[in-house]
């Protein structure tokens, strides 16, 4: 944002949370993850361990019903950022973005990275 200001470019950051789409469908995610896992070198698989995939899969399946289906939250933020006379510098779309990502975005990088 700061880097573009001298050039007269106004930047709006849109931070969407998770939304139910084909990309976040747990069945497809698990299939893709397993395909990618098979392509990894044995050394990398050993470093992560088989428990990594199982944990990731459980989390994806458990969270999917909780994420929003209202994609209009994201498109509405995009529309406002593009068309508003005075757009905000930061937009958060989705409950998880408000509760998790928005507070983290104001934390120091070292803290958000460790989280």
């Amino acid at each position: 944002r700061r880097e573009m200001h001298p050039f007269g470019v106004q930047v709006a950051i849109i931070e969407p949370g998770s939304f139910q789409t084909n990309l976040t469908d747990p069945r497809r995610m698990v299939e893709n993850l397993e395909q990618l896992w098979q392509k990894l070198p044995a050394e990398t698989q050993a470093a992560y361990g088989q428990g990594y995939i199982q944990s990731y899969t459980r989390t994806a399946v458990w969270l999917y019903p909780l994420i929003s289906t209202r994609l209009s939250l994201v498109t509405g933020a995009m529309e406002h950022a593009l068309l508003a006379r005075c757009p905000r510098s930061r937009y958060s779309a989705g409950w998880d973005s408000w509760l998790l990502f928005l507070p983290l975005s104001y934390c120091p990088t070292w803290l958000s990275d460790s989280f």
Side-chain angles (χ1 to χ4, degrees):
R1 226 180 81 171
R2 292 183 202 125
E3 295 86 6
M4 300 304 290
H5 184 72
F7 302 103
V9 176
Q10 188 171 3
V11 176
I13 300 167
I14 300 173
E15 299 172 308
S18 297
F19 290 87
Q20 288 186 9
T21 65
N22 286 336
L23 268 176
T24 59
D25 179 1
R27 287 173 296 196
R28 292 184 74 187
M29 284 177 55
V30 169
E31 288 173 10
N32 290 338
L33 183 60
E34 288 175 351
Q35 288 174 1
L36 291 171
W37 182 263
Q38 297 305 322
K39 294 178 184 177
L40 286 174
E43 180 179 299
T44 306
Q45 288 180 0
Y48 281 92
Q50 189 63 31
Y52 177 79
I53 288 186
Q54 295 165 348
S55 173
Y56 188 88
T57 301
R58 277 193 306 270
T59 303
V61 170
W62 179 78
L63 286 177
Y64 188 72
L66 301 176
I67 60 179
S68 180
T69 59
R70 296 179 51 211
L71 290 175
S72 62
L73 295 172
V74 179
T75 57
M78 293 169 68
E79 178 184 18
H80 190 271
L82 289 169
L83 302 177
R85 184 175 182 158
C86 297
R88 292 178 281 195
S89 59
R90 188 177 298 267
Y91 294 84
S92 293
W95 68 266
D96 51 344
S97 181
W98 278 99
L99 293 176
L100 181 64
F101 302 125
L102 183 63
L104 276 177
S105 69
Y106 290 102
C107 291
T109 304
W110 66 267
L111 181 63
S112 60
D113 285 351
S114 65
F115 183 73

